[in-house]
Every structure is written in structure tokens, then in C-alpha cells.
Amino acid sequence: MAILKIPTPLRPYTGGMSDINVDGENVGHALDSLLAQYPDIGKHLYNDDAQLRAFVNLFLGEDNIKDLQGLETPLSETDSLRIIPSIAGGAKG
Amino acid sequence: MTNLSHEEILRYSRHLLIPEVGMDGQQKLKDSSVLIIGTGGLGSPVALYLAAAGIGRIGLVDFDVVDESNLQRQIIHSLDRVGELKIESARARMLGLNPGIQVDVYNEPFTSGNAMRIATGYDLIIDGTDNFPTRYLSNDVAVFLGIPNIYGSIFRFDGQASVFYAKEGPCYRCLFPEPPPPGLVPSCAEGGVLGILPGTIGTIQATEAIKVLLGIGSPLIGKLLLYNALDMSFDFVKLKKNPACTVCGTNPTVTELIDYEEFCGVPGHDTGGSIESDWDITPEELVEEIKLSSPRLIDVREPHELAISVMPGVENLPLGQIASRMSEFDSAQEMVLICKSGQRSMRALELFLGAGFRKVKNLQGGMNAWAKDVDPSLPIY
Ligand SMILES: [Zn+2]
């Protein structure tokens, strides 16, 4: 099982968990596995047309899956996938 | 040719001893100019270190005033400056540290209307803002002026930093083509932030600024730093220029500054309060409503926030759990949604409205307004 790292802003939707074990031979299936475990996170990743939202960046190791094969990017058991969130915080915060 | 005075040579001697800086490098810093957007958490360490380093001209853009709740992390300000403009507080501290530099202040929000006028002439921009519209604006201004935009962003224990320089690599929009819809990502005002975190990230931004100005080392161009204070982890991922980027791609569609608040669907310059709507109820009205119909009071904050201040008789339903617990609620019953300042409860309201609820209201201004107008025994946070 690959590991999917959840960023802090999305952890309220995974019961506070940061590292989720996900099944699947590619990134898309790994996300299906995440959604099966934590349905509330769905609307943060996909839009109403079931497309991955433009501000959701998934990285496999150091690489953006957009620079690989997108949701079709193959995953191995030892891979580490992470969601990189868009965060705005800085000044007044 | 350098024209450093004896005084400057003494002041900057620890730089002059580094071969990568030396007399020529210090002169370069003296001849450089940096524009810092925001003099808050990130802007504080950036401004202090760049002033100390002898950057010849530093611009500060902010229109906010120093508030006591800033002092946990905005170390350029001090208690005796509460109520003053942040730019004036920051300028006084910077010139106290180094009177040999020039500090230009812009007491205005950074907007499409003034951004090009303010930023033109600076060698680079440091993005120390706290909202998406200003982040996209800083990025686009830097792309149009052909200068680097040194990015830093923070949330709770997490920080990000990069150097977005479209001439040599990707820009912010290459990574984030569009902002998240309003409300999907909590702000630091709602989510909180470790006070030291902006120190860590801001110091990295200042370091990158010095490197870029001197042309030394490998700046974070095409790389994004992901820092987590709890794990003390520094991870890096590769960023590529997106050929389809709307601002720096091969066929850009954004060729001049746009309306960033509209683009992001949120006001860039938060006034602190919640957006008024027909579904709002004021604290005073809620007092009456409780007497009349005893509505179900739903506090949508995280459980640990209820320890700070809480209204008697509330039920806690954290925002993140609403979608999955909707069935616990009866749309025939009156409900009032409560949070810290009225923003998260507004999002909760949207979720309930979307599920067909109509007897639901949002406490305007949240617990802080309730503490101010109804129950002064409660703290404001
Ligand atoms: Zn770009």
C-alpha cells in the first residue's frame, strides 16, 4: 500500500490523520481509496464534474503528477504521494 | 567600483569577509531595492534582516495598524506601537537598526490600480501577504515587470517557500492556476499559526532575496520548499514551468492586471468582519430569538476553540464534519450557526442551505461579536 500525505488544512476531513494508507495501482485509484475511507474530503479534491480541482497538486516523490501521467501515473507499494495545498497565510493571519 | 564608507565597512565587515559577498557584493546590496508586500508575520523578519543586511532601498506596502494579537509573531512591532500604522512602526524599527538605508512606505492596499506604480523600479518583490487575491497580484506584477517574486506562505505548523521568476522558471500560477473557492481553505485568523513559523519562512525568503540579488548559490527557482515544524522536516518538490500558464506560458491570456478579488471570489483586504447576508442574525437579535424560540445553537468551531469562549447550551459540530453528519439535523427546526468571527459559520450555512435547510441563521461576527455586544465576561481572540 502506498502512503498518501494529507496537508494540515485538509486533515479535518481525514479525522486528523496525516498519513493515509491507500490501495491502487495508479494515482487515480489511490484517490478512490482515500475517498472510500474519508468521503468528506471529496469535494476538496474534485469539482462538480468529477475533475481534479486545478489548485489541487499531487506530487509523487518530487514530481507533480501533471508532469508524469496524471491520474494514470502508476504507483508501487513503497511510493509516497502527497497533496500540496494552496495556502494563503502570511501577514495579518 | 565601491563607495562604502568606513562606517559601512565596519558595519558590514562580517559580510565583507565572505568571499561570495565581499566589497562588490555589499555594494550590490546597497544598490538594490526590494519591495515587501505586507509587514506582518512574514514581512517582519524579512524587513528586519534586509535592513540589517544593508539593502539600499526597501519598500513596505501595508495599510493595517498594529494590534495586540499581532505581537505573538510580528516581531518588528512592539506594544508601544499598538494602534499605529504597521508601515510606520516597521520603518522606525528598521531605521533604528540601520539608518543608512532608505525605507519607502505605501499606506495603501496593494491593488491592480496601484501595483505597477508601486512596484516599478524595484529589483524584486517579497510576497508576505495573507490572502489569495494579493498573492496572484504580486505574482502577475512580478511576471509583467520581469522580476523575481519571493514567495512564502504559512498555516499552523506548515510553511511553503519558493522563488517564482518567470524568466528562469515557473510562476505561482504555473503551480496554482486558480485559487481554491472561498472558504475551502481556512485562513490563519481562523486556523491559527505557530508564532515562530513566519520567522522560519520569512528568514528563508530574506535569504533567497540576498542570494538572488548577489547572484550566488542555487535559489529556489523551480523548487518548492515544504516545511513542517512539528516533524522538523524540510521537503522539496520540483516545479516546472507550465506552457499553458495563463500569465507566463507560451500563449498568455492574462496580459495585464485583472480584478483579483473577483478572480478569487473573495475580498483581498479583509475587514475582519463577516459578509452580511439575509441569513445573518446579530448578537442582540439572537438574545431575543433565544427567549422566543430557543433555536438549536450549533458551534462549528474545532473542539479546542470552545475552551477559549463558549455560549451556554451550544452543540459542537466542527465544520469539517457537517457534510457527513447532516442527517442528525431536522430542517423543520430553527438553528443558529456560530463560529469565531462569522466566516466559518457562513460556510456551514452554505452547506445547510445546499441541503435544503431554510430555518438556519448565521451569528454575525461570531463569538467575538457576542463577547463584545452581549457577554463582556468572555474574551475576544
Ligand atoms: Zn506561470
Side-chain angles (χ1 to χ4, degrees):
Chain A
M1 270 198 266
I3 286 181
L4 175 54
K5 267 185 138 25
I6 305 295
T8 314
L10 292 179
R11 286 183 207 160
Y13 309 99
T14 57
M17 298 283 286
S18 61
D19 291 3
I20 311 288
N21 287 313
V22 285
D23 280 320
E25 69 279 14
N26 65 29
V27 173
H29 290 151
L31 289 180
D32 294 343
S33 160
L34 171 73
L35 260 62
Q37 299 172 64
Y38 301 101
D40 283 350
I41 203 169
K43 75 181 173 76
H44 295 265
L45 303 181
Y46 294 99
N47 63 20
D48 296 339
D49 304 323
Q51 298 290 312
L52 207 54
R53 291 178 179 273
F55 58 86
V56 173
N57 281 291
L58 280 155
F59 280 75
L60 177 60
E62 288 191 317
D63 297 301
N64 196 324
I65 62 156
K66 289 173 190 165
D67 301 323
L68 302 170
Q69 297 154 58
L71 293 174
E72 310 286 311
T73 306
L75 274 187
S76 78
E77 293 278 302
T78 53
D79 274 337
S80 175
L81 195 61
R82 68 192 297 162
I83 300 173
I84 294 190
S86 207
I87 53 175
K92 278 180 301 193
Chain B
M1 246 318 270
T2 63
N3 61 7
L4 299 177
S5 66
H6 286 191
E7 211 183 336
E8 287 173 321
I9 287 173
L10 182 61
R11 173 181 281 270
Y12 303 120
S13 61
R14 299 302 185 277
H15 269 170
L16 305 181
L17 288 165
I18 310 175
E20 287 81 356
V21 186
M23 288 289 274
D24 288 342
Q26 191 63 48
Q27 182 67 43
K28 259 191 210 167
L29 297 181
K30 187 179 173 179
D31 296 337
S32 297
S33 58
V34 172
L35 181 65
I36 305 173
I37 316 293
T39 44
L42 294 168
S44 285
V46 171
L48 283 171
Y49 272 114
L50 294 187
I55 302 296
R57 183 165 78 103
I58 300 173
L60 304 175
V61 190
D62 208 322
F63 65 106
D64 205 7
V65 294
V66 181
D67 180 88
E68 228 173 302
S69 73
N70 299 150
L71 302 177
Q72 167 253 19
R73 62 200 177 285
Q74 302 182 14
I75 55 164
I76 203 166
H77 309 299
S78 52
L79 192 57
D80 57 345
R81 301 260 179 204
V82 167
E84 277 183 39
L85 283 174
K86 284 186 177 175
I87 47 168
E88 294 301 347
S89 161
R91 171 155 68 179
R93 185 75 192 286
M94 290 158 77
L95 293 176
L97 182 62
N98 190 349
I101 60 166
Q102 181 183 330
V103 181
D104 292 338
V105 296
Y106 306 91
N107 175 28
E108 47 198 314
F110 196 56
T111 66
S112 305
N114 61 17
M116 293 303 275
R117 165 176 63 79
I118 291 174
T120 298
Y122 283 96
D123 296 320
L124 60 83
I125 293 177
I126 299 204
D127 174 0
T129 63
D130 63 347
N131 61 78
F132 287 112
T134 318
R135 287 199 181 280
Y136 282 93
L137 172 62
S138 299
N139 178 73
D140 293 0
V141 167
V143 173
F144 294 146
L145 292 175
I147 58 177
N149 176 46
I150 302 192
Y151 162 83
S153 190
I154 51 175
F155 182 76
R156 290 197 173 165
F157 294 99
D158 286 319
Q160 300 178 350
S162 189
V163 176
F164 292 118
Y165 188 20
K167 275 187 179 169
E168 295 186 11
C171 80
Y172 181 65
R173 284 190 194 244
C174 292
L175 178 62
F176 298 116
E178 51 186 65
L184 215 51
V185 180
S187 71
C188 287
E190 293 170 277
V193 63
L194 179 71
I196 307 157
L197 181 67
T200 308
I201 298 298
T203 308
I204 287 168
Q205 289 177 282
T207 307
E208 292 299 292
I210 299 280
K211 283 162 58 184
V212 168
L213 292 170
L214 293 176
I216 59 173
S218 330
L220 284 172
I221 296 172
K223 278 183 280 186
L224 177 70
L225 165 67
L226 302 162
Y227 168 69
N228 180 277
L230 285 183
D231 303 334
M232 199 43 79
S233 58
F234 288 82
D235 294 329
F236 295 88
V237 294
K238 286 187 257 176
L239 301 183
K240 287 204 178 139
K241 199 174 180 76
N242 175 8
C245 177
T246 51
V247 69
C248 83
T250 39
N251 288 303
T253 51
V254 177
T255 53
E256 55 182 33
L257 299 180
I258 58 169
D259 182 338
Y260 292 87
E261 303 194 357
E262 192 195 331
F263 176 60
C264 296
V266 286
H269 307 291
D270 185 14
T271 48
S274 54
I275 310 142
E276 284 186 37
S277 83
D278 295 345
W279 306 94
D280 273 359
I281 182 168
T282 66
E284 291 87 351
E285 288 164 355
L286 180 56
V287 173
E288 292 307 309
E289 193 67 27
I290 289 172
K291 285 184 202 152
L292 284 171
S293 70
S294 45
R296 207 167 159 181
L297 304 172
I298 313 290
D299 193 319
V300 303
R301 295 175 297 166
E302 298 300 307
H304 66 271
E305 284 182 76
L306 274 66
I308 307 171
S309 76
V310 70
M311 198 184 291
V314 296
E315 298 166 63
N316 187 206
L317 172 70
L319 182 60
Q321 296 174 19
I322 292 179
S324 56
R325 290 176 54 188
M326 194 67 84
S327 59
E328 297 172 26
F329 297 86
D330 174 3
S331 63
Q333 199 179 359
E334 306 273 350
M335 288 198 300
V336 177
L337 303 168
I338 300 162
C339 72
K340 176 192 165 197
S341 61
Q343 291 172 22
R344 272 173 289 175
S345 52
M346 174 66 76
R347 265 171 266 142
L349 179 92
E350 284 162 8
L351 290 173
F352 278 110
L353 292 178
F357 286 68
R358 288 298 174 267
K359 293 186 168 180
V360 54
K361 286 210 168 343
N362 173 37
L363 176 61
Q364 198 181 11
M367 281 308 293
N368 279 352
W370 179 263
K372 191 166 145 277
D373 300 339
V374 173
D375 186 355
S377 73
L378 293 173
I380 287 172
Y381 68 105

